């Protein structure tokens, strides 16, 4: 291998292995990133992606490494600061920024790290931060606290911070998980700009569509092993999903006519000033009604009104023919509604509580003995029945919910709500941060729930998700229902065109 | 300018309330806005302010400390023993000895918090009890009167005798307080160490990943608090000219409440020296005002407690927003 050849690589790894306890997290994995390339690292949770990133950035040391080269130089061992000095930056999914500190300090923070006392020059910081934001083409106010920015903007701050360290290889961990479509497009533009500047970007994402859109090559890991490296040009979403999970995940339109079934919910002219207006629809027993729209279209606000969390300013709702005007979320639950919220991690689950308590939190009143004290026996039986019914993979019911994978956590959220025996289930972006394999599992459950007569309102901004899991599709934009589609008379590109255009 | 106002909302609001109180008291009482009253207000609150800036640093780093007032008493007791051993010493040795003992007591807190990963409130409640228990045990609760001469000498920074014979002065404690306040401001606002403290309090995991030395940050925060407790202990001994083991215990909660009032966040990452000073002065002026207005001292705690509750519960209300909503409703 000549020097001229090795220089073209930002990163070369061969034969990387790492075990934790008895668990083989990485087994003889090779990974190469070319300079200036947009590369995707794909794999389900637990496939070894994060372990690999942590080895490259010095958080973990590999047990075995046949070759470890950064920008053509052999690496013996590397620390997090060492990795940063060599031009490697990671933008973690949680961004690792400081919400009460100013934008300028977040961008320039790494300059301040260290125990040698140094003065802080805010003017110089401003100058540097402005220069790097200019390079990205995004002007941001520098002296406002980070928490005043949207998630998308914070992402830009994180990228700017990486560039401040002269990063030539940037890892982005699920950067688009909480971005809307237009924000994602903007981010992808910035990634392209970086790549044109010679900065290599490694993209880790569950969203296969955008992976294929942005990356030139994709490395697929499964169960700690390398499946292969592929050109994105001749890759399809279905094929990539198959490589990641080892099973063929078919996307099929499953829509059926349920409009003759009894109406579970009727909504007429429902409005809430400033959020949405004149929303009308019927939802029938056993029907999955997809509600697609961009973030900010009023989808979640509508769900909040249906659940009694906020009052509508106009319009009528009926549940099973009776007028429905919930005064609180408890009232809505009592009348047969259930709501799986969009922010599972913070709103849907009590992360520091065990699985069993998370499962029964919505139905504690059903678990009382005559005394009224909680019956542990009743609780255990209920938890066991839901874990079995939904096929949740858990260790013990007393383990913390945070020990479960995203997909299994989402199933526990479902169990919690199904335990209230609802007639209508609202699912708000149910698969954010969930593996494609686990997604299929969740939608199998959704389908069987619908078959058993439950009415389901499926809110999402992903066209494929709505397309292949709904019986009818409502399209919401700028607070209004603008169209109704039949998935059987539509294709995904057509739907994407209408929703995202 | 707009941003500056937004970022400093708590401080500005508190400043306005404080100013209104000062104007009100000046009009309502002849003796409030006098040199004599204002200087004694500073003299009486210098110790609280020294503690407050120390505690502010701990709060910014995401911790809390209950033990600092007791620590000051321990510093006084130990320092007097040490100074006697070395033959009395002087101001310089006194400050060094008190500073070192204070820092050591702070580092004890840091050690348990960092090494055993215990939440700071639990550790400092434990050391609060342990420090006080040890102090009472060894001192047998007795006061120490024979302090070195230099320590009991009155050091006056400023004095003024009015025509009517009222005497106004600023004690050394006020000077020490000003130095501590400025030093703390420099540390947290103008050095990379201080900014790392904010970052560590804001997002510990993010700071760790960025390479911030977590142990050093904890040591800096609790060490600084300890240093302030040491200086406060020395200054208080100078003011009262004796060491009373149980003189300071119980004052920690007032200081904590005053800082939180000034916008520091119990959870870390937020707080300013200005807000901290305003918070302490708000409590001080309230108490002083009640005194001058002839309110029964038995009602002080109740009224100050109520004032803090009102101040804190209204601090999240956006008055501009309320006004807007009312306008909308009127339409």
């Amino acid at each position: 291998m000549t020097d001229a050849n090795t220089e073209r690589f930002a990163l070369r790894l061969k034969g990387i292995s790492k075990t934790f306890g008895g668990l083989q997290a990485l087994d003889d994995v090779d990974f190469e990133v070319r300079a200036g390339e947009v590369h995707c690292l794909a794999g389900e949770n637990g496939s070894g992606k994060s372990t690999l990133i942590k080895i490259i950035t010095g958080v973990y040391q590999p047990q075995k490494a046949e070759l470890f080269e950064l920008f053509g130089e052999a690496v013996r061992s590397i620390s997090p600061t060492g990795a940063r000095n060599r031009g490697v930056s990671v933008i973690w999914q949680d961004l690792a920024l400081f919400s009460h500190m100013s934008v300028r300090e977040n961008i320039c923070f790494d300059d301040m790290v260290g125990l040698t006392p140094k003065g802080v020059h805010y003017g110089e910081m401003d100058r540097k931060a402005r220069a790097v934001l200019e390079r990205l083409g995004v002007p941001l106010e520098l002296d406002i606290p980070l928490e005043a920015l949207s998630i998308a903007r914070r992402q830009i701050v994180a990228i700017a911070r990486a560039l401040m360290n002269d990063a030539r290889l940037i890892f982005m961990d699920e950067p688009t998980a909480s971005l809307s479509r237009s924000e994602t497009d903007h981010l992808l533009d910035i990634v392209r700009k970086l790549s044109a500047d010679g900065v290599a970007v490694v993209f880790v994402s569950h969203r296969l569509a955008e992976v294929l859109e942005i990356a030139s090559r994709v490395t697929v890991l499964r169960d700690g092993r390398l499946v292969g490296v592929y050109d994105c040009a001749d890759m399809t979403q279905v094929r990539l999903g198959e490589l990641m999970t080892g099973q063929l995940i078919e996307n099929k339109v499953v829509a059926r006519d349920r409009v003759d079934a009894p109406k579970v919910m009727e909504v007429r002219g429902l409005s809430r000033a400033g959020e949405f207006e004149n929303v009308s629809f019927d939802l029938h027993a056993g029907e999955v009604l997809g509600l697609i729209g961009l973030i900010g279209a009023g989808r979640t606000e509508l769900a909040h009104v249906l659940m009694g969390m906020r009052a509508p300013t106009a319009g009528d709702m009926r549940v099973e023919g009776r007028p429905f005007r919930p005064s609180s979320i408890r009232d809505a639950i009592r009348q047969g509604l259930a709501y799986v919220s969009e922010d599972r991690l913070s709103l849907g689950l009590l992360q520091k509580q065990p699985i069993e308590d998370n499962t029964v939190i919505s139905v504690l009143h059903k678990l009382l003995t005559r005394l009224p004290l909680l019956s542990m026996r009743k609780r255990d039986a209920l938890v066991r029945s839901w874990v079995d019914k939904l096929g949740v993979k858990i260790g013990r019911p007393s383990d913390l919910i945070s020990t479960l994978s995203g997909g299994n956590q989402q199933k526990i959220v479902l169990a919690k709500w199904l335990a209230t025996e609802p007639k209508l289930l609202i699912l708000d972006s149910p698969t954010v941060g969930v593996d494609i394999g686990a997604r299929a599992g969740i939608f199998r459950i959704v389908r069987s729930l619908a078959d058993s007569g439950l009415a389901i309102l499926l809110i999402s901004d992903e066209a494929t998700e709505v397309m292949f899991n709904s019986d009818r599709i409502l399209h919401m934009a700028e607070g209004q229902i603008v169209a109704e589609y039949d998935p059987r008379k539509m294709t995904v590109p057509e739907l994407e065109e209408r929703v995202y255009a | 300018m707009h941003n500056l106002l937004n970022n400093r909302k708590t401080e500005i609001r508190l400043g306005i309330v404080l100013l209104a109180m000062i104007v009100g008291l000046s009009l309502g009482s002849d003796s409030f806005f006098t040199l004599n009253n204002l200087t004694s207000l500073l003299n009486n609150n210098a110790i609280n302010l020294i503690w407050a800036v120390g505690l502010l640093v701990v709060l910014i780093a995401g911790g809390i400390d209950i033990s600092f007032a007791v620590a000051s008493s321990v510093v006084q007791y130990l320092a007097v023993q040490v100074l006697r051993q070395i033959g009395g010493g002087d101001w310089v040795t006194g400050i060094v000895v008190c500073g070192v003992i204070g820092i050591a007591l702070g580092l004890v807190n840091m050690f348990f918090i960092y090494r055993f990963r215990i939440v700071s409130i639990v550790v400092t409640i434990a050391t609060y009890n342990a420090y006080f228990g040890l102090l009472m045990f060894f001192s047998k609760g007795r006061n120490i009167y024979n302090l070195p001469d230099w320590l009991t000498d009155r050091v006056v920074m400023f004095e003024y005798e009015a025509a009517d014979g009222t005497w106004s002065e600023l004690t050394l404690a006020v000077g020490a307080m000003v130095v501590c306040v400025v030093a703390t401001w420099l540390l947290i606002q103008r050095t990379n160490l201080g900014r790392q403290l904010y970052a560590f309090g804001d997002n510990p995991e993010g700071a760790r990943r960025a390479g911030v030395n977590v142990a050093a940050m904890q040591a800096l925060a609790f060490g600084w608090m300890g240093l302030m407790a040491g200086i406060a202990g020395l200054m208080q001994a100078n003011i009262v000219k004796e060491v009373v083991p149980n003189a300071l215990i119980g004052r920690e909660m007032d200081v904590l409440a005053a800082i939180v009032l000034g916008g520091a966040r119990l959870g870390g990452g937020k707080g300013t020296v200005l807000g901290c000073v305003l918070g302490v002065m708000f409590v001080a002026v309230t108490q002083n005002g009640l005194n001058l207005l002839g309110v029964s001292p038995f009602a002080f705690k109740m009224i100050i407690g109520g004032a803090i509750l009102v101040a804190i519960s209204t601090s999240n209300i956006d008055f501009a927003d309320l006004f807007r909503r009312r306008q909308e409703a009127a339409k």
Side-chain angles (χ1 to χ4, degrees):
Chain A
M1 183 86 33
T2 64
D3 280 355
N5 253 332
T6 46
E7 266 172 29
R8 291 183 14 242
F9 287 99
L11 170 73
R12 292 180 73 208
L13 295 175
K14 272 200 169 46
I16 300 288
S17 296
K18 174 79 183 170
T19 52
F20 293 105
L23 198 74
Q24 185 89 35
L26 287 176
D27 185 6
D28 199 25
V29 168
D30 302 345
F31 184 47
E32 283 183 351
V33 183
R34 295 183 186 138
E37 175 188 28
V38 180
H39 194 106
C40 171
L41 186 55
E44 294 211 282
N45 288 332
S47 62
K49 288 173 306 185
S50 350
T51 311
L52 188 61
I53 296 177
K54 285 180 176 165
I55 284 176
I56 297 164
T57 52
V59 179
Y60 299 145
Q61 305 301 321
Q63 256 103 18
K64 205 164 66 68
E66 284 162 27
L67 179 74
F68 186 167
E69 271 184 17
L70 276 173
F71 309 106
E73 283 174 38
V75 174
R76 279 270 182 90
S77 73
I78 197 162
S79 67
T81 352
R84 199 162 62 213
N85 293 339
R86 283 172 183 257
V88 183
S89 277
V90 189
I91 298 172
W92 303 98
Q93 190 179 358
D94 63 14
L95 300 182
L97 295 172
F98 309 105
S99 48
H100 302 297
M101 295 176 84
S102 64
V103 170
R104 82 159 79 78
E105 278 191 289
N106 272 288
I107 293 177
C108 301
F109 183 75
D110 295 300
D111 280 351
M112 297 194 281
V113 173
L115 293 181
T116 324
K118 283 192 288 199
V120 179
H121 304 287
Y122 291 103
E124 179 157 340
M125 239 188 241
D126 269 357
R127 199 178 47 73
K128 285 185 178 172
R130 210 167 282 131
V132 79
L133 287 174
E134 215 159 89
R135 186 171 157 199
L136 292 174
V138 193
L140 288 179
E141 270 186 88
L142 292 176
D143 57 351
I144 53 175
L146 184 85
E147 61 185 347
L149 299 184
S150 65
I151 302 282
R153 288 286 163 105
R154 290 180 208 178
Q155 200 102 45
I156 307 281
V157 171
I159 295 174
R161 178 174 163 197
L163 292 180
M164 280 296 299
N165 297 318
D166 294 320
R168 286 176 293 158
L169 172 58
I170 301 180
F171 289 84
M172 292 190 185
D173 183 15
E174 293 281 347
T176 57
S178 38
L179 301 192
S180 73
R181 181 67 198 195
S182 65
E183 288 169 335
T184 301
D185 286 342
H186 188 214
L187 182 73
L188 296 187
D189 279 344
I190 287 177
V191 169
R192 280 187 202 104
K193 205 177 284 182
L194 293 176
S195 161
D197 269 5
V199 178
V201 178
V202 177
F203 222 72
V204 180
S205 178
H206 281 120
R207 297 191 171 178
L208 301 183
E210 67 196 34
V211 165
L212 295 174
E213 188 184 332
I214 185 88
S216 56
R217 294 190 305 157
V218 52
T219 295
V220 181
L221 298 182
R222 190 199 312 150
D223 299 328
R225 290 211 179 83
L226 177 68
V227 176
V229 185
Y230 309 89
D231 275 331
C232 288
D234 20 276
M235 180 58 72
T236 63
Q237 277 193 55
V238 177
R239 172 90 183 112
L240 186 53
E242 194 185 339
L243 290 168
M244 286 163 64
T245 57
Q247 49 185 319
L248 187 62
I249 292 168
E250 271 182 297
N251 279 330
K252 264 195 333 219
V253 172
V254 291
R256 303 152 308 171
D257 267 327
R258 300 292 308 181
V259 286
D260 297 332
K263 289 174 184 169
V264 174
M265 176 167 247
E266 296 157 79
V267 172
R268 292 288 173 271
L270 196 67
S271 303
R272 184 172 154 87
E275 292 181 349
F276 56 87
E277 68 185 308
N278 201 18
V279 169
S280 303
F281 63 87
D282 292 335
L283 183 49
H284 305 83
E287 184 178 42
V288 180
L289 178 61
L291 180 66
I292 189 166
L294 302 175
I295 290 179
R299 316 167 311 188
T300 299
E301 291 78 3
L302 173 62
H304 286 176
V305 167
L306 297 182
M307 284 310 290
M309 291 149 84
R310 295 176 208 170
T313 43
D316 290 312
M317 294 180 274
R318 283 171 175 274
V319 167
E320 294 187 324
R322 288 186 309 274
F324 174 69
R325 197 131 220 210
S327 57
S328 68
I329 187 157
R330 274 194 310 281
D331 193 21
I333 293 170
R334 226 173 357 245
Q335 302 196 47
L337 272 70
Y339 175 51
V340 176
S341 64
E342 57 172 349
D343 192 347
R344 177 184 71 248
L345 293 179
S346 68
L347 305 178
L349 289 170
L350 312 169
Q351 286 290 339
K352 288 178 182 165
Q353 298 280 324
I355 296 163
E356 49 195 8
D357 291 350
N358 268 290
T359 312
V360 299
I361 182 79
S362 55
V363 287
L364 289 175
H365 59 278
K366 292 187 187 168
L367 303 179
L368 298 178
T369 61
R370 234 172 307 154
L371 269 177
L373 294 173
L374 282 180
S375 156
M376 295 301 134
R377 204 172 38 78
K378 284 188 186 171
R379 180 191 69 182
D380 295 347
L382 190 72
V383 171
R384 215 172 308 120
S385 82
W386 281 111
V387 165
D388 289 349
K389 248 184 255 178
L390 302 185
V392 194
K393 282 193 205 122
I394 65 168
R396 275 165 310 169
S398 56
D399 290 345
L400 294 189
I401 193 87
S402 50
T403 59
L404 297 185
S405 70
N408 281 312
Q409 289 194 7
Q410 190 65 299
K411 286 183 185 173
I412 293 292
V413 178
L414 274 177
K416 174 180 87 174
W417 285 108
L418 294 174
T420 65
E421 292 165 19
K423 302 168 201 141
L424 192 165
L425 176 64
I426 302 172
L427 296 171
D428 198 348
S429 310
T431 59
V432 170
V434 175
D435 277 340
I436 49 166
R439 282 180 191 209
I442 286 172
F443 282 118
R444 262 196 303 277
I445 294 172
V446 168
R447 185 42 64 185
S448 71
L449 289 171
D451 287 343
S452 71
L454 189 65
I456 293 169
L457 182 63
L458 169 65
I459 302 178
S460 177
D461 61 350
E462 283 188 50
T464 41
E465 194 163 287
V466 176
M467 192 71 186
F468 298 121
N469 297 293
S470 316
D471 297 318
R472 279 187 301 142
I473 301 173
L474 294 179
H475 176 192
M476 194 165 188
E478 288 169 10
Q480 289 180 309
I481 303 282
V482 290
E484 181 181 327
Y485 309 121
D486 183 340
R488 289 165 295 191
K489 297 174 186 155
M490 185 119 216
T491 64
V492 172
E494 278 169 15
L495 182 59
E496 283 180 336
E497 172 71 29
R498 304 226 180 147
V499 176
Y500 303 144
Chain B
M1 195 60 203
H2 171 77
N3 288 321
L4 192 73
L5 288 179
N6 263 331
N7 295 346
R8 295 271 171 275
K9 245 184 217 160
T10 318
E11 287 87 342
I12 290 168
R13 194 175 291 174
L14 191 57
I16 292 172
V17 173
L18 190 58
L19 204 66
M21 276 169 56
I22 289 174
V23 171
L25 285 169
S26 306
L27 298 175
S29 157
D30 293 338
S31 43
F32 179 80
F33 204 78
T34 59
L35 194 58
N36 177 274
N37 186 49
L38 294 184
T39 51
S40 65
L41 203 54
L42 280 176
N43 289 333
N44 296 340
N45 286 282
I47 304 294
N48 277 355
L49 277 166
I50 295 173
W51 279 330
V53 290
L55 184 56
L56 173 71
V57 174
V58 171
L59 284 183
I60 285 170
I64 195 168
D65 189 348
I66 307 296
S67 68
F68 60 86
V70 171
S72 288
S73 289
V74 173
V75 168
Q76 291 177 341
Y77 181 78
L78 289 179
V80 168
Q81 313 298 326
V82 172
L83 290 168
R84 270 189 200 149
Q85 292 294 318
I86 61 172
D90 53 23
W91 273 110
V92 176
T93 48
I95 289 174
V96 171
V97 168
C98 288
V100 168
I101 299 172
I103 291 173
L105 293 173
L107 292 182
V108 169
N109 285 330
M110 173 268 172
F111 173 77
F112 284 103
I113 292 163
Y114 177 72
R115 181 69 183 73
F116 300 105
R117 300 183 188 276
I118 316 173
V119 242
S120 51
I121 190 160
V122 176
V123 169
T124 58
I125 286 176
T127 52
Y128 159 91
N129 283 299
Y131 290 167
F132 190 63
L134 286 167
L135 180 64
M136 293 312 277
F137 181 77
F138 284 105
S139 69
K140 300 189 179 63
R142 280 199 288 264
N143 301 359
I144 305 174
Y145 297 107
N146 60 338
L147 304 183
D149 289 341
W150 57 267
L151 185 51
T152 52
D153 276 347
R154 198 158 184 76
V155 184
V156 175
M157 316 284 298
F158 159 88
E159 53 190 338
Y160 178 78
E161 191 181 356
D164 61 357
T166 37
W167 193 258
S168 310
E169 59 177 21
L170 287 177
T171 60
L172 182 65
V174 176
M177 177 272 282
V178 171
V179 172
C180 291
V181 168
V182 172
T184 304
W185 180 80
L186 283 172
L187 171 76
I188 63 175
Q189 218 57 49
R190 291 283 156 176
T191 71
N192 62 328
L193 297 176
R195 303 319 290 170
Q196 290 178 80
L197 278 174
Y198 274 95
F200 173 62
D202 193 318
N203 179 352
E205 178 58 22
R208 204 181 56 80
R209 284 191 211 150
V212 171
N213 185 328
V214 173
M217 288 305 117
Q218 297 272 31
L220 176 60
F222 283 92
W224 191 264
M225 172 80 257
L227 176 64
M228 295 301 129
I231 295 173
L234 185 69
M235 291 305 146
Q236 201 262 352
N238 178 239
I239 294 173
V240 299
K241 299 178 174 41
E242 59 181 339
V243 171
V244 183
N246 59 357
L248 299 175
I249 190 167
R251 284 170 66 177
E252 53 283 322
M253 290 304 161
D254 295 345
V255 176
L256 178 60
I259 300 175
V260 174
L261 196 59
R265 186 168 162 266
L266 287 169
K270 212 173 174 185
T272 61
V273 169
L274 175 65
C276 173
V277 171
L278 289 174
V280 173
M281 291 321 287
F282 172 81
V283 175
V285 169
T286 309
Q287 180 148 0
N288 183 249
L290 293 173
N291 217 339
L292 296 178
L293 296 175
V295 177
S296 155
F298 295 111
F300 282 10
K301 284 255 169 198
M302 176 181 82
I303 295 172
I304 289 173
I308 292 175
L309 276 180
V310 170
I312 294 208
S313 32
T314 52
S315 70
N316 279 331
I317 299 175
D318 192 332
F319 288 100
D321 202 41
L322 270 186
F323 182 64
R324 217 173 302 133
R325 225 172 286 160
R326 201 152 296 157
Q327 271 186 329
E328 256 168 40
K331 265 185 224 165

